[in-house]
Amino acid sequence: MYFELNFKSGRPVYQQIIDQVKGAAASGGLRRGEQLPSIRALAERLRINRNTVARAYGELEHGGLVKSEHGRGVFFTAATSPLNARTRRELLGRALDAAIIEAHHFRVADEELLKLLQERLKAFKRRRVEAA
Amino acid sequence: MYFELNFKSGRPVYQQIIDQVKGAAASGGLRRGEQLPSIRALAERLRINRNTVARAYGELEHGGLVKSEHGRGVFFTAATSPLNARTRRELLGRALDAAIIEAHHFRVADEELLKLLQERLKAFKRRRVEAA
Amino acid sequence: MYFELNFKSGRPVYQQIIDQVKGAAASGGLRRGEQLPSIRALAERLRINRNTVARAYGELEHGGLVKSEHGRGVFFTAATSPLNARTRRELLGRALDAAIIEAHHFRVADEELLKLLQERLKAFKRRRVEAA
Amino acid sequence: MYFELNFKSGRPVYQQIIDQVKGAAASGGLRRGEQLPSIRALAERLRINRNTVARAYGELEHGGLVKSEHGRGVFFTAATSPLNARTRRELLGRALDAAIIEAHHFRVADEELLKLLQERLKAFKRRRVEAA
DNA sequence: GTGGTCTAGACCACC
DNA sequence: GTGGTCTAGACCACG
C-alpha cells in the first residue's frame, strides 16, 4: 500500500496514516485479510518514529478496521462501504482548489497549471514503475 | 468577508484563516485595498483569541497579501508573491502532489483528475466574474 | 550560540533573536546543520517566555534559514533566501538607506561612509575565516 | 531639518523623532535657538498623526532640549556635547552591519554591495537637490 | 478605536 | 526530552 505524508498540513501524522488506510479501504484498494506494512517497515519508509505508526495502527485496531496478530503482522479485517463517486469528487475537489489558490497567488495561468499537473502525474507514474 | 472554522480538522486555526483569505483573494471575493475585519472583531466573531487572529494576519502580511496600518486596520493588497521562482514552483508542486495522492487513493484515473481540475478552474473563473 | 537582549531598544525581543541568528550566520558562527538551542533552553537562558523564542524560530523557519524537526530540535540550514529578486533588492536598499540617513545625521561624508563599509566587510570576512 | 522614519524597525515613531533631533544636535546640525518644524508640518511631512509628533516634542521639552513657545513654535535650546568621531563610527557601523548581514543572506557579493551603496547615495543626493 | 508584543500556563504531537 | 498551538490577560503605540 502506498503512503505519503504532508508535514506542513498541520494534520497529525498518525491521523494521516489512519486517513490513508481508510481511504484505500473506501476505494477498494485494500482487501479483507490483506496485510499492512509492519510498524518497523512503515516507520522506516516514512522516516518517522515507530511510536507514531504504532499509535495509528492502534487506533485502527481499536476502531475494528484492522487486527494485529502477535508475531505475524497487522491485517485488514473490515469491509467498509466504498465512497460513492460524488463524495470522492468532492474530497478531491478540495485538494485541487488548494492548488488553484496557490497558482492564483503565484500568477500561474490556468493552462500552465494543467500542464504542470500532467507533468507531476508523469513523474508519479515513473516513480511507481521504478519502485515496481 | 465570511469565515468559517473547523476545529476537528487538525489544521491550525490561524492557518484556516490564512487559507480562507487566500481563497477569497483567488475567487475575487476580496478587492484590492479592501479592509479586513479588525483583529478584535474577527476574534469575537469566531470566538477565538485575539492572538490567534493576530498571528494569521501577521503571516499574511509577511507573505505580502495584506498590509497592516497601525491604528487603522488591515487591508488587502493584491501584491504578487514575494517568493522566488524556485520556491513558488516547489509550493505549487506540493499542492498538486497532494491532489494526485488523494486521487490515487480513490482510484481516480489521471484523465478524470485533469478533467476535474478544468472544472474547478472554470468554477473559480465564474465566481470571479460574479464578484466583479 | 551566544545571545544578548536589549530590552530598552524598542526592538521586539523576538526580532532581536532573529537578528542575532542572521548575524551569526553571516559571520560564520553557525554551521550548516548545527542545532540551535532548544526553545525551552533559550527561553530560560534569556529569561523570557517560551512563546517569544518559538515565534522567533518560527519566523526564521518561514524565512528558510532554519528547519525545525518535530521532537528533535531546530537546525540551521544555509539555505539561500526564498524571496524574489525584487523583494531582495528592496530589503537590501532599505538597510542601506538606514545607514545613509544615520550618516547624514552625523554629517559623515559619502566617501567616509563607503570606506567604513569596506572596513566592516573586511571585519566580517576575518570573523568568517576565524570561525572556519 | 531632515527626518526619516522606519516603520519596520520596531522602534516607536515618537522615539525615532527624538533620536533624530538628538542626533542632529549631537552632530551640530541644530543650533541653539533654531526653530524646529511645526507639529502640523512635521506630521504632514512624515504622514503620521499629530499626536505622535506632539508626544515626541513633549518629551524633548520635558528633557530640556527644546522649548515650545505658545503660538510661535518649537525652538532648540540646549547645546549638547557633540559625539566624538569614535562613537559616531560605532553607531554607523551598526547600521552598516545590518546591511552586510542582509547582503550575505541574499548572496550579494561585497563589490556589488559597495556599488549599491554608491547608487543609493547618488539617489539621495538627487532627491536632496530636487527638494532644494 | 486600531495593530503589536509579551507573559503564564495549558494541551498536543513526536522522538 | 523536542516543537506547535491556543487561551487569557496585560501593556504599549498609533489615529
Side-chain angles (χ1 to χ4, degrees), chain D residues 13 49 52 55:
Chain D
V13 171
N49 194 281
T52 306
R55 174 166 183 188

Side-chain angles (χ1 to χ4, degrees), chain D residues 57-101:
Chain D
Y57 279 8
E59 302 215 359
L60 281 167
E61 180 162 26
H62 192 81
L65 272 86
V66 128
K67 178 139 184 47
S68 89
E69 302 188 15
H70 214 100
R72 290 194 53 246
V74 178
F75 299 86
F76 182 63
T77 60
T80 58
S81 65
L83 298 172
N84 64 27
R86 202 182 168 291
T87 310
R88 286 189 326 199
R89 284 171 77 101
E90 200 178 300
L91 286 173
L92 235 128
R94 238 176 268 169
L96 286 174
D97 284 355
I100 292 174
I101 289 168

Side-chain angles (χ1 to χ4, degrees), chain B residues 76-90:
Chain B
F76 177 63
T77 67
T80 154
S81 165
L83 298 173
N84 67 25
R86 196 181 170 291
T87 308
R88 285 197 311 245
R89 224 179 315 131
E90 199 178 302

Side-chain angles (χ1 to χ4, degrees), chain A residues 19-94:
Chain A
D19 292 346
Q20 294 184 30
V21 170
K22 286 185 179 173
S27 67
L30 206 51
R31 311 206 173 284
R32 190 189 184 92
E34 186 171 336
Q35 182 167 11
L36 272 67
S38 78
I39 289 180
R40 302 181 70 106
L42 186 54
E44 194 171 341
R45 197 192 325 161
L46 299 177
R47 294 157 179 268
I48 58 179
N49 193 282
R50 289 199 286 262
N51 293 336
T52 305
V53 181
R55 175 166 181 187
Y57 279 9
E59 302 214 359
L60 281 167
E61 179 162 26
H62 192 81
L65 271 87
V66 127
K67 176 137 185 49
S68 88
E69 302 188 15
H70 215 102
R72 292 195 50 247
V74 177
F75 300 86
F76 181 64
T77 60
T80 57
S81 64
L83 299 173
N84 62 28
R86 202 182 167 291
T87 309
R88 286 190 326 203
R89 284 169 77 100
E90 199 178 299
L91 286 173
L92 234 126
R94 238 177 270 169

Side-chain angles (χ1 to χ4, degrees), chain C residues 6-59:
Chain C
N6 177 355
F7 291 98
K8 302 208 178 145
S9 69
R11 188 138 181 95
V13 172
Y14 80 94
Q15 262 296 347
Q16 294 184 44
I17 296 175
I18 292 174
D19 292 343
Q20 291 179 39
V21 171
K22 285 187 177 173
S27 61
L30 212 43
R31 314 211 153 286
R32 187 193 189 89
E34 185 172 337
Q35 181 165 11
L36 273 67
S38 82
I39 289 180
R40 287 167 171 81
L42 186 54
E44 193 172 344
R45 205 203 304 171
L46 299 176
R47 296 160 179 271
I48 58 178
N49 192 275
R50 292 207 294 118
N51 291 338
T52 305
V53 181
R55 176 169 183 186
Y57 280 8
E59 301 215 357

